[in-house]
Amino acid sequence: MAFGQEAIEQLSQELVGGYNLNARLLALLRRSPLDGRGQERAAAMSQELSRVFMVSLFMLSSRESSRPVVDRMASPAATITEGSIDERAPAKDMRICGGEVAPPRKGRENEVTKKEITASPHSDGYQWRKYGQKNIHKRKFARSYYKCMFSHDRGCRAKKTVQQHDSSSGHRPMFQITYMHEHKCQQQTVPPGEATRSGHFDPQPQHAELDDDTMASCLAMVIGGAAPAAPSSSSLSPPPVGASPSDPDGGRTPSPLDVSTGLDMGISCGLPCAPVKAPSSSSSSSLLLVEAISSSDRAVYLPAGGGLSPSTDAIAMDDTYFPCSPLFSPVAARSISRSDDVPMAVAGFTDTTSAWPHYS
DNA sequence: TTTATTTGACCGCCC
DNA sequence: TGGGCGGTCAAATAA
């Protein structure tokens, strides 16, 4: 599930290979006209690029989930929805419990409407109130219980439980969310940047699923250096607030990038490929690493429009950069500062000399 | 002072 | 029938 350093390096190597290959292909195509031999070489390079895609996707899928690549492309991102499940239906014998099949255990009269596995347990656009937490037998992490914020006012019975996977305690925690009862409160999804005091929702309710175009765009950006599809206008709005990964229960501790902190960084979060601004400080590196707020993952930010140049001089400090995390997960982002005296205040470029994504 | 979260206690289902 | 366990309540606590 979690990406180890070795896996990340493998994936990086694959993508670096794809990048170099594409550069050669581009150079070849610019040599016009292509003779027969040139066309053959271009076709071979294209095939190799396809292989890079497949290998990379396979690595992602085999480490992140057991779902087939194609399946996940139809419903990408780090959220795996199991669809409508009613525990009172015959399927109850196949309860999913940390990826294992557990024996059936009939619960209260709670109609399970959906289960999903996600890195951002609050990405559903609804406002919830936590009403309990319980250590579950043989589970490493406590289960949190939430009610719809309007359960009292509007009689909405919607509930959800959040259970962190035992195997996801490392770099990329994953959570199983179980929803019970449909919302009857006509609650509007929370608009970006509009945080409640509890901060108990994901500010980008719809971002949990990337459409195919976005996915393809991100892939194209990684492999070919093309600019990603323009994100929706809302992605350029001020940075909304995401829940902290270390606090899946939606604690009240403000996020370091809370809107109210007034940070002037152009860091957006939430939507896939939301742009960030490079820091004004000088750097010789080509890579902006940011840490995802909602998943504790780190996303890689690439320069918009031109892809990455082998030359680090090509990185303009005031350019806009787009995220493209290895999992293409639409995550909220906050910057990482290597400076001890200004923790998490400004985005920082790493010291890597590689012109290609490097994860640390 | 208000509101949300935490946490121990209690309740009910299941084995 | 009793114990184990998950779900919920509500007082205490924190922000």
Side-chain angles (χ1 to χ4, degrees):
Chain A
M1 185 71 73
F3 269 65
Q5 183 66 34
E6 188 182 351
I8 288 169
E9 283 175 5
Q10 275 185 327
L11 186 57
S12 295
Q13 282 175 10
E14 278 294 331
L15 294 174
V16 166
Y19 172 69
N20 291 333
L21 195 63
N22 184 72
R24 284 161 52 201
L25 179 58
L26 210 59
L28 187 67
L29 291 174
R30 280 174 179 161
R31 259 189 267 146
S32 58
L34 280 181
D35 55 13
R37 184 186 168 86
Q39 285 178 359
E40 270 182 30
R41 288 181 59 193
M45 288 178 183
S46 177
Q47 280 185 340
E48 177 63 12
L49 271 177
S50 297
R51 188 199 65 80
V52 169
F53 273 122
M54 292 307 296
V55 169
S56 300
L57 285 170
F58 177 78
M59 289 174 68
L60 289 174
S61 66
S62 63
R63 281 174 171 79
E64 194 194 3
S65 81
S66 59
R67 292 181 69 191
V69 167
V70 174
D71 191 15
R72 289 185 52 235
M73 287 186 76
S75 179
T79 297
I80 302 169
T81 301
E82 293 172 15
S84 181
I85 299 170
D86 188 334
E87 283 191 341
R88 290 170 299 189
K92 70 182 179 182
D93 290 338
M94 295 293 287
R95 287 195 311 132
I96 294 176
C97 190
E100 300 168 2
V101 176
R105 182 185 182 88
K106 194 174 180 180
R108 299 278 170 86
E109 290 297 313
N110 281 328
E111 176 194 354
V112 176
T113 56
K114 188 172 76 170
K115 287 185 178 181
E116 73 178 31
I117 300 169
T118 179
S120 51
H122 306 298
S123 304
D124 52 29
Y126 288 97
Q127 292 175 270
W128 302 93
R129 173 194 291 269
K130 187 175 182 178
Y131 67 90
Q133 179 172 307
K134 186 85 176 173
N135 288 321
I136 302 301
H137 188 56
K138 292 182 179 175
R139 301 307 294 264
K140 195 170 167 182
F141 302 99
R143 179 175 299 171
S144 297
Y145 299 88
Y146 300 90
K147 284 179 181 174
C148 174
M149 192 76 91
F150 302 99
S151 60
H152 183 259
D153 295 350
R154 305 179 194 175
C156 181
R157 295 178 65 203
K159 292 178 187 174
K160 75 171 181 180
T161 64
V162 176
Q163 174 75 59
Q164 182 174 352
H165 276 204
D166 293 350
S167 58
S168 65
S169 57
H171 193 58
R172 183 182 180 82
M174 296 297 287
F175 303 86
Q176 170 151 353
I177 317 296
T178 303
Y179 294 93
M180 288 153 287
H181 305 294
E182 300 288 351
H183 283 276
K184 299 264 193 297
C185 54
Q186 304 295 314
Q187 180 184 157
Q188 291 184 347
T189 54
V190 181
E194 200 171 299
T196 64
R197 287 181 57 176
S198 69
H200 205 139
F201 58 89
D202 192 293
Q204 300 287 351
Q206 304 307 324
H207 73 196
E209 292 189 1
L210 292 171
D211 57 34
D212 290 354
D213 288 345
T214 306
M215 179 78 163
S217 178
C218 282
L219 284 170
M221 183 172 71
V222 168
I223 299 299
S232 66
S233 58
S234 61
S235 68
L236 297 172
S237 60
V241 182
S244 166
S246 60
D247 186 15
D249 299 328
R252 284 163 290 171
T253 304
S255 153
L257 276 188
D258 192 309
V259 174
S260 61
T261 60
L263 291 177
D264 58 0
M265 290 288 298
I267 290 182
S268 296
C269 61
L271 286 180
C273 298
V276 302
K277 284 281 190 182
S280 55
S281 59
S282 63
S283 169
S284 60
S285 169
S286 60
L287 176 63
L288 175 60
L289 272 181
V290 299
E291 184 175 16
I293 283 177
S294 61
S295 70
S296 82
D297 195 1
R298 288 181 179 183
V300 169
Y301 280 68
L302 306 175
L308 286 168
S309 163
S311 164
T312 55
D313 296 333
I315 303 302
M317 291 301 106
D318 290 325
D319 279 351
T320 299
Y321 290 74
F322 286 91
C324 201
S325 88
L327 299 178
F328 304 105
S329 60
V331 293
R334 73 171 176 227
S335 59
I336 295 174
S337 172
R338 298 302 172 103
S339 166
D340 292 331
D341 49 355
V342 194
M344 295 181 294
V346 294
F349 285 84
T350 64
D351 293 327
T352 176
T353 55
S354 167
W356 195 251
H358 163 84
Y359 303 91
S360 57

